[in-house]
Amino acid sequence: MKKTFLICFICLIFCVSIHAQNIVGNWKLTWIVIELDMAYSIMAPITLSIEENGKISGNGGCNSFTGNFSYKKKKSYKKPVKIKFKDIVSTKLACEKPSATENAFFRSLREADKIYIENEELIIESSKIGNTMNFLRVSSLTE
């Protein structure tokens, strides 16, 4: 009985650990740095949903978007993995104020080439232009 419980407990911890390292899920932007030195304030929630089937969606703060991505699937994303976001299309709502943060987010997503998880944050980087975006996992995009 004790062995069965121990094995179940270890399996549960292992499964939770793998899920925590998986990029698939819902994410909320917490930080964006452009060209290694310009940080933007996150005034409106910016979200990203990454699906197992290679689709992305979310909201840039005003406009909703969808797109695709390709990457090499791994069990753990503790080390950077090459990624390519493509076919990103968004709505063109007339927002109260044009958002420099939203524009920087969309540009960073299009230029991204690396993705990984560090300290439970999803990090998406563009080596070419020096952009970094940090996200926290959320249970739904409305959080």
Side-chain angles (χ1 to χ4, degrees):
M1 180 72 173
K2 287 182 180 180
K3 281 185 177 180
T4 304
F5 177 75
L6 182 61
I7 290 170
C8 289
F9 181 73
I10 291 170
C11 288
L12 177 65
I13 296 298
F14 181 71
C15 290
V16 169
S17 175
I18 287 176
H19 175 71
Q21 294 300 322
N22 192 343
I23 65 170
V24 171
N26 299 314
W27 301 91
K28 185 175 179 182
L29 186 68
T30 58
W31 188 253
I32 184 168
V33 176
I34 305 300
E35 297 174 359
L36 301 175
D37 67 350
M38 185 181 299
Y40 283 87
S41 299
I42 312 300
M43 304 303 271
I46 296 176
T47 60
L48 173 64
S49 177
I50 301 176
E51 298 175 25
E52 189 75 40
N53 64 0
K55 303 282 185 194
I56 60 168
S57 61
N59 189 290
C62 174
N63 291 288
S64 297
F65 69 93
T66 62
N68 301 299
F69 70 96
S70 58
Y71 71 115
K72 185 175 181 179
K73 293 181 184 178
K74 290 190 164 199
K75 289 184 180 179
S76 174
Y77 292 88
K78 290 183 179 182
K79 294 183 180 178
V81 174
K82 289 185 179 186
I83 193 162
K84 178 68 178 160
F85 294 98
K86 54 191 174 205
D87 307 323
I88 299 170
V89 294
S90 70
T91 57
K92 301 290 184 201
L93 298 176
C95 303
E96 194 172 305
K97 293 181 184 177
S99 173
T101 305
E102 183 175 71
N103 292 336
F105 169 71
F106 285 131
R107 180 175 178 224
S108 295
L109 206 54
R110 285 185 197 95
E111 299 289 333
D113 59 4
K114 287 191 285 188
I115 191 166
Y116 58 98
I117 295 176
E118 184 177 281
N119 300 325
E120 298 185 31
E121 286 188 305
L122 179 76
I123 301 171
I124 300 175
E125 294 180 345
S126 169
S127 303
K128 189 167 92 174
I129 56 177
N131 294 0
T132 302
M133 297 185 291
N134 292 38
F135 296 81
L136 285 178
R137 189 181 298 274
V138 293
S139 57
S140 73
L141 294 184
T142 57
E143 284 187 15

